[in-house]
Amino acid sequence: MCEPPNMVAITELLGFVGALCSIPELRVDCGKMFMVPVRDAIIQHTKRVVEDGEPIYSVTALRAMGTILIHLINGSKENKDRLPSWVFICEVMEATTDAFFQIQCVEILFRIAKPDPRVIDEWRHRGSCDRVKSVVLARLKGILSSPTDTLFKTMADLVEKLSLDGVPKRDQTLFAINTKSITIGAEENVIEAPCRVYFTPNSFTILMGEGKNADNITVPYTFIRSVRIPQDSSFAFKLSMAPHRIRDHLRVEVPGSESIILEMSPATSKLFRNSPVQKWVTEALERRAMLSASTKRRAEEQARNARRRIPTHNSQVTKRSLRMMRQIHNCGAP
């Protein structure tokens, strides 16, 4: 699935809408304008994901729309009641492979059910995807009673449970591991706490956060310059550029911060070596090389066409000189 040519503008527009929806004084009016269209866009987006896969620009758009819904329902009963049902959230959770968007979905259900947990029982009898509903709704009641300082962890645990149960249901589209530690750029930037890392065919996402604040580092495979596999159960990704928000997690920024080292147990390392991740990375880098070669060929062809259309200064001088020589010759003729 090729990236739409206007995807950058669409992403920026979604970010602007999200900023508007976060303003308390505008929240209700924004809900009237945006809530139904955003819901419909999420549903249509995830239908295309099932058919065509989930490229990185699709992940970015889904996360932006998830942020819009979270802002709209935050502290607004009117917006929470604006949709007849929120069970569609379970359906999109089954379609997507993006763990961070799944956490956003759990947060949406949490915010809707927190004032009145009885709505969870109503959701059980609506919509489809019974397998996902049974897992999500069974755990949602426990999340409602979680202390604030463990809220993110309980949401992440639910998403991990889904991945272990084979959600999304498409084969070989998601591979998840737990790491012992993560180093970003330098030894001073080691994240000692275990993190869950989700690999999809186009990118990998490191889930992190504390309390009620969810965060992530998402690395498209096209950012990877090389992969080093030492003998100590670690994997080092050298990147051609720093992904979005990576510097938010740097204690010390040093040259060469564009690298991520995942430290894992020997058993997890063995699973990782036998996973489809290396194939996904290789295919992404091959696509990038083909795109780069195609772009270079187009640029060279455009340059050649421009040279044919626009005469150089020297060619104009040469033509003018030839005309003058003919005039002189004609004047001297008997």
Side-chain angles (χ1 to χ4, degrees), residues 14-40:
L14 289 172
F16 176 72
V17 171
L20 286 179
C21 296
S22 68
I23 301 173
E25 294 79 9
L26 301 179
R27 195 164 287 149
V28 172
D29 290 333
C30 285
K32 294 176 183 176
M33 289 187 290
F34 300 124
M35 181 164 280
V36 171
V38 168
R39 177 203 61 186
D40 294 344

mmCIF file with all atom_site columns, all heavy atoms in Angstrom, residues 14-40:
data_model
loop_
_atom_site.group_PDB
_atom_site.id
_atom_site.type_symbol
_atom_site.label_atom_id
_atom_site.label_alt_id
_atom_site.label_comp_id
_atom_site.label_asym_id
_atom_site.label_entity_id
_atom_site.label_seq_id
_atom_site.pdbx_PDB_ins_code
_atom_site.Cartn_x
_atom_site.Cartn_y
_atom_site.Cartn_z
_atom_site.occupancy
_atom_site.B_iso_or_equiv
_atom_site.pdbx_formal_charge
_atom_site.auth_seq_id
_atom_site.auth_comp_id
_atom_site.auth_asym_id
_atom_site.auth_atom_id
_atom_site.pdbx_PDB_model_num
ATOM 1   N N   . LEU A 1 14 ? -4.593  16.302 11.520 1.00 0.00 ? 14 LEU A N   1
ATOM 2   C CA  . LEU A 1 14 ? -5.076  15.527 12.666 1.00 0.00 ? 14 LEU A CA  1
ATOM 3   C C   . LEU A 1 14 ? -4.453  16.029 13.970 1.00 0.00 ? 14 LEU A C   1
ATOM 4   O O   . LEU A 1 14 ? -5.120  16.085 15.003 1.00 0.00 ? 14 LEU A O   1
ATOM 5   C CB  . LEU A 1 14 ? -4.758  14.045 12.464 1.00 0.00 ? 14 LEU A CB  1
ATOM 6   C CG  . LEU A 1 14 ? -5.563  13.320 11.384 1.00 0.00 ? 14 LEU A CG  1
ATOM 7   C CD1 . LEU A 1 14 ? -5.016  11.911 11.158 1.00 0.00 ? 14 LEU A CD1 1
ATOM 8   C CD2 . LEU A 1 14 ? -7.045  13.258 11.758 1.00 0.00 ? 14 LEU A CD2 1
ATOM 9   N N   . GLY A 1 15 ? -3.170  16.389 13.906 1.00 0.00 ? 15 GLY A N   1
ATOM 10  C CA  . GLY A 1 15 ? -2.525  16.944 15.098 1.00 0.00 ? 15 GLY A CA  1
ATOM 11  C C   . GLY A 1 15 ? -3.153  18.254 15.520 1.00 0.00 ? 15 GLY A C   1
ATOM 12  O O   . GLY A 1 15 ? -3.337  18.523 16.719 1.00 0.00 ? 15 GLY A O   1
ATOM 13  N N   . PHE A 1 16 ? -3.501  19.097 14.544 1.00 0.00 ? 16 PHE A N   1
ATOM 14  C CA  . PHE A 1 16 ? -4.141  20.376 14.847 1.00 0.00 ? 16 PHE A CA  1
ATOM 15  C C   . PHE A 1 16 ? -5.522  20.162 15.461 1.00 0.00 ? 16 PHE A C   1
ATOM 16  O O   . PHE A 1 16 ? -5.894  20.814 16.447 1.00 0.00 ? 16 PHE A O   1
ATOM 17  C CB  . PHE A 1 16 ? -4.249  21.209 13.564 1.00 0.00 ? 16 PHE A CB  1
ATOM 18  C CG  . PHE A 1 16 ? -4.986  22.511 13.743 1.00 0.00 ? 16 PHE A CG  1
ATOM 19  C CD1 . PHE A 1 16 ? -4.414  23.563 14.435 1.00 0.00 ? 16 PHE A CD1 1
ATOM 20  C CD2 . PHE A 1 16 ? -6.264  22.674 13.219 1.00 0.00 ? 16 PHE A CD2 1
ATOM 21  C CE1 . PHE A 1 16 ? -5.099  24.766 14.609 1.00 0.00 ? 16 PHE A CE1 1
ATOM 22  C CE2 . PHE A 1 16 ? -6.952  23.860 13.387 1.00 0.00 ? 16 PHE A CE2 1
ATOM 23  C CZ  . PHE A 1 16 ? -6.364  24.921 14.090 1.00 0.00 ? 16 PHE A CZ  1
ATOM 24  N N   . VAL A 1 17 ? -6.287  19.223 14.888 1.00 0.00 ? 17 VAL A N   1
ATOM 25  C CA  . VAL A 1 17 ? -7.616  18.911 15.437 1.00 0.00 ? 17 VAL A CA  1
ATOM 26  C C   . VAL A 1 17 ? -7.485  18.388 16.867 1.00 0.00 ? 17 VAL A C   1
ATOM 27  O O   . VAL A 1 17 ? -8.258  18.761 17.757 1.00 0.00 ? 17 VAL A O   1
ATOM 28  C CB  . VAL A 1 17 ? -8.345  17.898 14.539 1.00 0.00 ? 17 VAL A CB  1
ATOM 29  C CG1 . VAL A 1 17 ? -9.634  17.409 15.213 1.00 0.00 ? 17 VAL A CG1 1
ATOM 30  C CG2 . VAL A 1 17 ? -8.668  18.519 13.184 1.00 0.00 ? 17 VAL A CG2 1
ATOM 31  N N   . GLY A 1 18 ? -6.479  17.528 17.092 1.00 0.00 ? 18 GLY A N   1
ATOM 32  C CA  . GLY A 1 18 ? -6.261  17.016 18.443 1.00 0.00 ? 18 GLY A CA  1
ATOM 33  C C   . GLY A 1 18 ? -5.963  18.122 19.438 1.00 0.00 ? 18 GLY A C   1
ATOM 34  O O   . GLY A 1 18 ? -6.437  18.091 20.583 1.00 0.00 ? 18 GLY A O   1
ATOM 35  N N   . ALA A 1 19 ? -5.171  19.114 19.003 1.00 0.00 ? 19 ALA A N   1
ATOM 36  C CA  . ALA A 1 19 ? -4.861  20.243 19.885 1.00 0.00 ? 19 ALA A CA  1
ATOM 37  C C   . ALA A 1 19 ? -6.126  21.038 20.211 1.00 0.00 ? 19 ALA A C   1
ATOM 38  O O   . ALA A 1 19 ? -6.325  21.475 21.360 1.00 0.00 ? 19 ALA A O   1
ATOM 39  C CB  . ALA A 1 19 ? -3.817  21.142 19.226 1.00 0.00 ? 19 ALA A CB  1
ATOM 40  N N   . LEU A 1 20 ? -6.992  21.232 19.224 1.00 0.00 ? 20 LEU A N   1
ATOM 41  C CA  . LEU A 1 20 ? -8.256  21.937 19.480 1.00 0.00 ? 20 LEU A CA  1
ATOM 42  C C   . LEU A 1 20 ? -9.118  21.167 20.477 1.00 0.00 ? 20 LEU A C   1
ATOM 43  O O   . LEU A 1 20 ? -9.706  21.752 21.390 1.00 0.00 ? 20 LEU A O   1
ATOM 44  C CB  . LEU A 1 20 ? -9.034  22.113 18.169 1.00 0.00 ? 20 LEU A CB  1
ATOM 45  C CG  . LEU A 1 20 ? -8.539  23.150 17.166 1.00 0.00 ? 20 LEU A CG  1
ATOM 46  C CD1 . LEU A 1 20 ? -9.425  23.146 15.929 1.00 0.00 ? 20 LEU A CD1 1
ATOM 47  C CD2 . LEU A 1 20 ? -8.521  24.549 17.794 1.00 0.00 ? 20 LEU A CD2 1
ATOM 48  N N   . CYS A 1 21 ? -9.182  19.840 20.302 1.00 0.00 ? 21 CYS A N   1
ATOM 49  C CA  . CYS A 1 21 ? -10.040 19.019 21.158 1.00 0.00 ? 21 CYS A CA  1
ATOM 50  C C   . CYS A 1 21 ? -9.534  18.946 22.595 1.00 0.00 ? 21 CYS A C   1
ATOM 51  O O   . CYS A 1 21 ? -10.292 18.574 23.499 1.00 0.00 ? 21 CYS A O   1
ATOM 52  C CB  . CYS A 1 21 ? -10.142 17.604 20.587 1.00 0.00 ? 21 CYS A CB  1
ATOM 53  S SG  . CYS A 1 21 ? -10.956 17.527 18.970 1.00 0.00 ? 21 CYS A SG  1
ATOM 54  N N   . SER A 1 22 ? -8.283  19.293 22.822 1.00 0.00 ? 22 SER A N   1
ATOM 55  C CA  . SER A 1 22 ? -7.734  19.254 24.181 1.00 0.00 ? 22 SER A CA  1
ATOM 56  C C   . SER A 1 22 ? -8.073  20.511 24.979 1.00 0.00 ? 22 SER A C   1
ATOM 57  O O   . SER A 1 22 ? -7.830  20.557 26.188 1.00 0.00 ? 22 SER A O   1
ATOM 58  C CB  . SER A 1 22 ? -6.213  19.084 24.124 1.00 0.00 ? 22 SER A CB  1
ATOM 59  O OG  . SER A 1 22 ? -5.594  20.245 23.581 1.00 0.00 ? 22 SER A OG  1
ATOM 60  N N   . ILE A 1 23 ? -8.628  21.528 24.325 1.00 0.00 ? 23 ILE A N   1
ATOM 61  C CA  . ILE A 1 23 ? -8.989  22.778 25.010 1.00 0.00 ? 23 ILE A CA  1
ATOM 62  C C   . ILE A 1 23 ? -10.357 22.594 25.673 1.00 0.00 ? 23 ILE A C   1
ATOM 63  O O   . ILE A 1 23 ? -11.363 22.374 24.984 1.00 0.00 ? 23 ILE A O   1
ATOM 64  C CB  . ILE A 1 23 ? -9.027  23.956 24.016 1.00 0.00 ? 23 ILE A CB  1
ATOM 65  C CG1 . ILE A 1 23 ? -7.651  24.111 23.343 1.00 0.00 ? 23 ILE A CG1 1
ATOM 66  C CG2 . ILE A 1 23 ? -9.438  25.241 24.712 1.00 0.00 ? 23 ILE A CG2 1
ATOM 67  C CD1 . ILE A 1 23 ? -7.621  25.142 22.229 1.00 0.00 ? 23 ILE A CD1 1
ATOM 68  N N   . PRO A 1 24 ? -10.447 22.663 27.010 1.00 0.00 ? 24 PRO A N   1
ATOM 69  C CA  . PRO A 1 24 ? -11.716 22.368 27.697 1.00 0.00 ? 24 PRO A CA  1
ATOM 70  C C   . PRO A 1 24 ? -12.896 23.194 27.179 1.00 0.00 ? 24 PRO A C   1
ATOM 71  O O   . PRO A 1 24 ? -14.012 22.674 27.044 1.00 0.00 ? 24 PRO A O   1
ATOM 72  C CB  . PRO A 1 24 ? -11.398 22.698 29.173 1.00 0.00 ? 24 PRO A CB  1
ATOM 73  C CG  . PRO A 1 24 ? -9.917  22.514 29.277 1.00 0.00 ? 24 PRO A CG  1
ATOM 74  C CD  . PRO A 1 24 ? -9.350  22.946 27.960 1.00 0.00 ? 24 PRO A CD  1
ATOM 75  N N   . GLU A 1 25 ? -12.662 24.476 26.881 1.00 0.00 ? 25 GLU A N   1
ATOM 76  C CA  . GLU A 1 25 ? -13.759 25.350 26.453 1.00 0.00 ? 25 GLU A CA  1
ATOM 77  C C   . GLU A 1 25 ? -14.302 24.967 25.068 1.00 0.00 ? 25 GLU A C   1
ATOM 78  O O   . GLU A 1 25 ? -15.439 25.313 24.726 1.00 0.00 ? 25 GLU A O   1
ATOM 79  C CB  . GLU A 1 25 ? -13.296 26.810 26.420 1.00 0.00 ? 25 GLU A CB  1
ATOM 80  C CG  . GLU A 1 25 ? -12.947 27.393 27.785 1.00 0.00 ? 25 GLU A CG  1
ATOM 81  C CD  . GLU A 1 25 ? -11.571 26.970 28.286 1.00 0.00 ? 25 GLU A CD  1
ATOM 82  O OE1 . GLU A 1 25 ? -10.820 26.354 27.494 1.00 0.00 ? 25 GLU A OE1 1
ATOM 83  O OE2 . GLU A 1 25 ? -11.254 27.251 29.455 1.00 0.00 ? 25 GLU A OE2 1
ATOM 84  N N   . LEU A 1 26 ? -13.503 24.272 24.274 1.00 0.00 ? 26 LEU A N   1
ATOM 85  C CA  . LEU A 1 26 ? -13.920 23.904 22.910 1.00 0.00 ? 26 LEU A CA  1
ATOM 86  C C   . LEU A 1 26 ? -14.336 22.440 22.793 1.00 0.00 ? 26 LEU A C   1
ATOM 87  O O   . LEU A 1 26 ? -14.767 22.004 21.735 1.00 0.00 ? 26 LEU A O   1
ATOM 88  C CB  . LEU A 1 26 ? -12.775 24.171 21.921 1.00 0.00 ? 26 LEU A CB  1
ATOM 89  C CG  . LEU A 1 26 ? -12.256 25.605 21.823 1.00 0.00 ? 26 LEU A CG  1
ATOM 90  C CD1 . LEU A 1 26 ? -11.106 25.676 20.814 1.00 0.00 ? 26 LEU A CD1 1
ATOM 91  C CD2 . LEU A 1 26 ? -13.372 26.554 21.419 1.00 0.00 ? 26 LEU A CD2 1
ATOM 92  N N   . ARG A 1 27 ? -14.216 21.686 23.880 1.00 0.00 ? 27 ARG A N   1
ATOM 93  C CA  . ARG A 1 27 ? -14.342 20.231 23.799 1.00 0.00 ? 27 ARG A CA  1
ATOM 94  C C   . ARG A 1 27 ? -15.714 19.792 23.302 1.00 0.00 ? 27 ARG A C   1
ATOM 95  O O   . ARG A 1 27 ? -15.823 18.911 22.437 1.00 0.00 ? 27 ARG A O   1
ATOM 96  C CB  . ARG A 1 27 ? -14.034 19.630 25.163 1.00 0.00 ? 27 ARG A CB  1
ATOM 97  C CG  . ARG A 1 27 ? -13.773 18.132 25.128 1.00 0.00 ? 27 ARG A CG  1
ATOM 98  C CD  . ARG A 1 27 ? -13.105 17.707 26.411 1.00 0.00 ? 27 ARG A CD  1
ATOM 99  N NE  . ARG A 1 27 ? -11.715 18.137 26.478 1.00 0.00 ? 27 ARG A NE  1
ATOM 100 C CZ  . ARG A 1 27 ? -11.077 18.448 27.605 1.00 0.00 ? 27 ARG A CZ  1
ATOM 101 N NH1 . ARG A 1 27 ? -11.715 18.378 28.765 1.00 0.00 ? 27 ARG A NH1 1
ATOM 102 N NH2 . ARG A 1 27 ? -9.818  18.818 27.562 1.00 0.00 ? 27 ARG A NH2 1
ATOM 103 N N   . VAL A 1 28 ? -16.781 20.389 23.820 1.00 0.00 ? 28 VAL A N   1
ATOM 104 C CA  . VAL A 1 28 ? -18.130 19.971 23.424 1.00 0.00 ? 28 VAL A CA  1
ATOM 105 C C   . VAL A 1 28 ? -18.395 20.318 21.964 1.00 0.00 ? 28 VAL A C   1
ATOM 106 O O   . VAL A 1 28 ? -18.912 19.505 21.189 1.00 0.00 ? 28 VAL A O   1
ATOM 107 C CB  . VAL A 1 28 ? -19.186 20.626 24.341 1.00 0.00 ? 28 VAL A CB  1
ATOM 108 C CG1 . VAL A 1 28 ? -20.596 20.339 23.810 1.00 0.00 ? 28 VAL A CG1 1
ATOM 109 C CG2 . VAL A 1 28 ? -19.052 20.081 25.764 1.00 0.00 ? 28 VAL A CG2 1
ATOM 110 N N   . ASP A 1 29 ? -18.041 21.538 21.558 1.00 0.00 ? 29 ASP A N   1
ATOM 111 C CA  . ASP A 1 29 ? -18.244 21.931 20.165 1.00 0.00 ? 29 ASP A CA  1
ATOM 112 C C   . ASP A 1 29 ? -17.411 21.063 19.219 1.00 0.00 ? 29 ASP A C   1
ATOM 113 O O   . ASP A 1 29 ? -17.873 20.684 18.142 1.00 0.00 ? 29 ASP A O   1
ATOM 114 C CB  . ASP A 1 29 ? -17.879 23.410 19.968 1.00 0.00 ? 29 ASP A CB  1
ATOM 115 C CG  . ASP A 1 29 ? -18.877 24.348 20.642 1.00 0.00 ? 29 ASP A CG  1
ATOM 116 O OD1 . ASP A 1 29 ? -20.046 23.929 20.797 1.00 0.00 ? 29 ASP A OD1 1
ATOM 117 O OD2 . ASP A 1 29 ? -18.495 25.466 21.012 1.00 0.00 ? 29 ASP A OD2 1
ATOM 118 N N   . CYS A 1 30 ? -16.183 20.746 19.631 1.00 0.00 ? 30 CYS A N   1
ATOM 119 C CA  . CYS A 1 30 ? -15.341 19.860 18.817 1.00 0.00 ? 30 CYS A CA  1
ATOM 120 C C   . CYS A 1 30 ? -15.953 18.466 18.728 1.00 0.00 ? 30 CYS A C   1
ATOM 121 O O   . CYS A 1 30 ? -15.869 17.810 17.685 1.00 0.00 ? 30 CYS A O   1
ATOM 122 C CB  . CYS A 1 30 ? -13.934 19.779 19.405 1.00 0.00 ? 30 CYS A CB  1
ATOM 123 S SG  . CYS A 1 30 ? -12.908 21.242 19.109 1.00 0.00 ? 30 CYS A SG  1
ATOM 124 N N   . GLY A 1 31 ? -16.580 18.028 19.827 1.00 0.00 ? 31 GLY A N   1
ATOM 125 C CA  . GLY A 1 31 ? -17.232 16.724 19.806 1.00 0.00 ? 31 GLY A CA  1
ATOM 126 C C   . GLY A 1 31 ? -18.354 16.666 18.789 1.00 0.00 ? 31 GLY A C   1
ATOM 127 O O   . GLY A 1 31 ? -18.533 15.661 18.091 1.00 0.00 ? 31 GLY A O   1
ATOM 128 N N   . LYS A 1 32 ? -19.122 17.755 18.687 1.00 0.00 ? 32 LYS A N   1
ATOM 129 C CA  . LYS A 1 32 ? -20.206 17.807 17.703 1.00 0.00 ? 32 LYS A CA  1
ATOM 130 C C   . LYS A 1 32 ? -19.666 17.700 16.277 1.00 0.00 ? 32 LYS A C   1
ATOM 131 O O   . LYS A 1 32 ? -20.270 17.057 15.416 1.00 0.00 ? 32 LYS A O   1
ATOM 132 C CB  . LYS A 1 32 ? -20.983 19.115 17.858 1.00 0.00 ? 32 LYS A CB  1
ATOM 133 C CG  . LYS A 1 32 ? -21.749 19.255 19.162 1.00 0.00 ? 32 LYS A CG  1
ATOM 134 C CD  . LYS A 1 32 ? -22.399 20.626 19.259 1.00 0.00 ? 32 LYS A CD  1
ATOM 135 C CE  . LYS A 1 32 ? -23.106 20.804 20.600 1.00 0.00 ? 32 LYS A CE  1
ATOM 136 N NZ  . LYS A 1 32 ? -23.671 22.178 20.728 1.00 0.00 ? 32 LYS A NZ  1
ATOM 137 N N   . MET A 1 33 ? -18.526 18.322 16.031 1.00 0.00 ? 33 MET A N   1
ATOM 138 C CA  . MET A 1 33 ? -17.977 18.353 14.674 1.00 0.00 ? 33 MET A CA  1
ATOM 139 C C   . MET A 1 33 ? -17.171 17.119 14.320 1.00 0.00 ? 33 MET A C   1
ATOM 140 O O   . MET A 1 33 ? -17.253 16.618 13.194 1.00 0.00 ? 33 MET A O   1
ATOM 141 C CB  . MET A 1 33 ? -17.090 19.606 14.517 1.00 0.00 ? 33 MET A CB  1
ATOM 142 C CG  . MET A 1 33 ? -17.847 20.909 14.470 1.00 0.00 ? 33 MET A CG  1
ATOM 143 S SD  . MET A 1 33 ? -16.763 22.311 14.073 1.00 0.00 ? 33 MET A SD  1
ATOM 144 C CE  . MET A 1 33 ? -15.805 22.431 15.592 1.00 0.00 ? 33 MET A CE  1
ATOM 145 N N   . PHE A 1 34 ? -16.392 16.603 15.277 1.00 0.00 ? 34 PHE A N   1
ATOM 146 C CA  . PHE A 1 34 ? -15.355 15.634 14.909 1.00 0.00 ? 34 PHE A CA  1
ATOM 147 C C   . PHE A 1 34 ? -15.586 14.201 15.381 1.00 0.00 ? 34 PHE A C   1
ATOM 148 O O   . PHE A 1 34 ? -15.002 13.270 14.822 1.00 0.00 ? 34 PHE A O   1
ATOM 149 C CB  . PHE A 1 34 ? -13.991 16.101 15.456 1.00 0.00 ? 34 PHE A CB  1
ATOM 150 C CG  . PHE A 1 34 ? -13.549 17.429 14.931 1.00 0.00 ? 34 PHE A CG  1
ATOM 151 C CD1 . PHE A 1 34 ? -13.226 18.470 15.804 1.00 0.00 ? 34 PHE A CD1 1
ATOM 152 C CD2 . PHE A 1 34 ? -13.446 17.648 13.570 1.00 0.00 ? 34 PHE A CD2 1
ATOM 153 C CE1 . PHE A 1 34 ? -12.803 19.693 15.327 1.00 0.00 ? 34 PHE A CE1 1
ATOM 154 C CE2 . PHE A 1 34 ? -13.017 18.878 13.080 1.00 0.00 ? 34 PHE A CE2 1
ATOM 155 C CZ  . PHE A 1 34 ? -12.700 19.902 13.955 1.00 0.00 ? 34 PHE A CZ  1
ATOM 156 N N   . MET A 1 35 ? -16.414 13.990 16.418 1.00 0.00 ? 35 MET A N   1
ATOM 157 C CA  . MET A 1 35 ? -16.436 12.661 17.011 1.00 0.00 ? 35 MET A CA  1
ATOM 158 C C   . MET A 1 35 ? -16.922 11.586 16.043 1.00 0.00 ? 35 MET A C   1
ATOM 159 O O   . MET A 1 35 ? -16.266 10.543 15.869 1.00 0.00 ? 35 MET A O   1
ATOM 160 C CB  . MET A 1 35 ? -17.284 12.656 18.288 1.00 0.00 ? 35 MET A CB  1
ATOM 161 C CG  . MET A 1 35 ? -17.311 11.290 18.968 1.00 0.00 ? 35 MET A CG  1
ATOM 162 S SD  . MET A 1 35 ? -17.900 11.383 20.652 1.00 0.00 ? 35 MET A SD  1
ATOM 163 C CE  . MET A 1 35 ? -16.429 11.950 21.489 1.00 0.00 ? 35 MET A CE  1
ATOM 164 N N   . VAL A 1 36 ? -18.043 11.797 15.397 1.00 0.00 ? 36 VAL A N   1
ATOM 165 C CA  . VAL A 1 36 ? -18.575 10.792 14.471 1.00 0.00 ? 36 VAL A CA  1
ATOM 166 C C   . VAL A 1 36 ? -17.653 10.605 13.264 1.00 0.00 ? 36 VAL A C   1
ATOM 167 O O   . VAL A 1 36 ? -17.340 9.456  12.895 1.00 0.00 ? 36 VAL A O   1
ATOM 168 C CB  . VAL A 1 36 ? -20.009 11.150 14.043 1.00 0.00 ? 36 VAL A CB  1
ATOM 169 C CG1 . VAL A 1 36 ? -20.477 10.224 12.918 1.00 0.00 ? 36 VAL A CG1 1
ATOM 170 C CG2 . VAL A 1 36 ? -20.958 11.038 15.233 1.00 0.00 ? 36 VAL A CG2 1
ATOM 171 N N   . PRO A 1 37 ? -17.179 11.688 12.614 1.00 0.00 ? 37 PRO A N   1
ATOM 172 C CA  . PRO A 1 37 ? -16.245 11.479 11.490 1.00 0.00 ? 37 PRO A CA  1
ATOM 173 C C   . PRO A 1 37 ? -14.969 10.742 11.889 1.00 0.00 ? 37 PRO A C   1
ATOM 174 O O   . PRO A 1 37 ? -14.474 9.903  11.118 1.00 0.00 ? 37 PRO A O   1
ATOM 175 C CB  . PRO A 1 37 ? -15.939 12.912 11.021 1.00 0.00 ? 37 PRO A CB  1
ATOM 176 C CG  . PRO A 1 37 ? -17.111 13.717 11.447 1.00 0.00 ? 37 PRO A CG  1
ATOM 177 C CD  . PRO A 1 37 ? -17.556 13.107 12.740 1.00 0.00 ? 37 PRO A CD  1
ATOM 178 N N   . VAL A 1 38 ? -14.430 11.028 13.079 1.00 0.00 ? 38 VAL A N   1
ATOM 179 C CA  . VAL A 1 38 ? -13.209 10.351 13.517 1.00 0.00 ? 38 VAL A CA  1
ATOM 180 C C   . VAL A 1 38 ? -13.493 8.875  13.781 1.00 0.00 ? 38 VAL A C   1
ATOM 181 O O   . VAL A 1 38 ? -12.700 7.997  13.399 1.00 0.00 ? 38 VAL A O   1
ATOM 182 C CB  . VAL A 1 38 ? -12.619 11.035 14.763 1.00 0.00 ? 38 VAL A CB  1
ATOM 183 C CG1 . VAL A 1 38 ? -11.527 10.178 15.394 1.00 0.00 ? 38 VAL A CG1 1
ATOM 184 C CG2 . VAL A 1 38 ? -12.043 12.399 14.393 1.00 0.00 ? 38 VAL A CG2 1
ATOM 185 N N   . ARG A 1 39 ? -14.621 8.578  14.423 1.00 0.00 ? 39 ARG A N   1
ATOM 186 C CA  . ARG A 1 39 ? -14.987 7.167  14.633 1.00 0.00 ? 39 ARG A CA  1
ATOM 187 C C   . ARG A 1 39 ? -15.077 6.432  13.298 1.00 0.00 ? 39 ARG A C   1
ATOM 188 O O   . ARG A 1 39 ? -14.526 5.342  13.128 1.00 0.00 ? 39 ARG A O   1
ATOM 189 C CB  . ARG A 1 39 ? -16.324 7.069  15.364 1.00 0.00 ? 39 ARG A CB  1
ATOM 190 C CG  . ARG A 1 39 ? -16.813 5.639  15.546 1.00 0.00 ? 39 ARG A CG  1
ATOM 191 C CD  . ARG A 1 39 ? -18.316 5.559  15.736 1.00 0.00 ? 39 ARG A CD  1
ATOM 192 N NE  . ARG A 1 39 ? -19.036 6.077  14.576 1.00 0.00 ? 39 ARG A NE  1
ATOM 193 C CZ  . ARG A 1 39 ? -20.355 6.231  14.532 1.00 0.00 ? 39 ARG A CZ  1
ATOM 194 N NH1 . ARG A 1 39 ? -21.094 5.888  15.579 1.00 0.00 ? 39 ARG A NH1 1
ATOM 195 N NH2 . ARG A 1 39 ? -20.948 6.721  13.451 1.00 0.00 ? 39 ARG A NH2 1
ATOM 196 N N   . ASP A 1 40 ? -15.784 7.033  12.324 1.00 0.00 ? 40 ASP A N   1
ATOM 197 C CA  . ASP A 1 40 ? -15.948 6.389  11.020 1.00 0.00 ? 40 ASP A CA  1
ATOM 198 C C   . ASP A 1 40 ? -14.601 6.219  10.319 1.00 0.00 ? 40 ASP A C   1
ATOM 199 O O   . ASP A 1 40 ? -14.352 5.192  9.655  1.00 0.00 ? 40 ASP A O   1
ATOM 200 C CB  . ASP A 1 40 ? -16.896 7.210  10.143 1.00 0.00 ? 40 ASP A CB  1
ATOM 201 C CG  . ASP A 1 40 ? -18.319 7.239  10.701 1.00 0.00 ? 40 ASP A CG  1
ATOM 202 O OD1 . ASP A 1 40 ? -18.627 6.395  11.564 1.00 0.00 ? 40 ASP A OD1 1
ATOM 203 O OD2 . ASP A 1 40 ? -19.099 8.110  10.278 1.00 0.00 ? 40 ASP A OD2 1
#
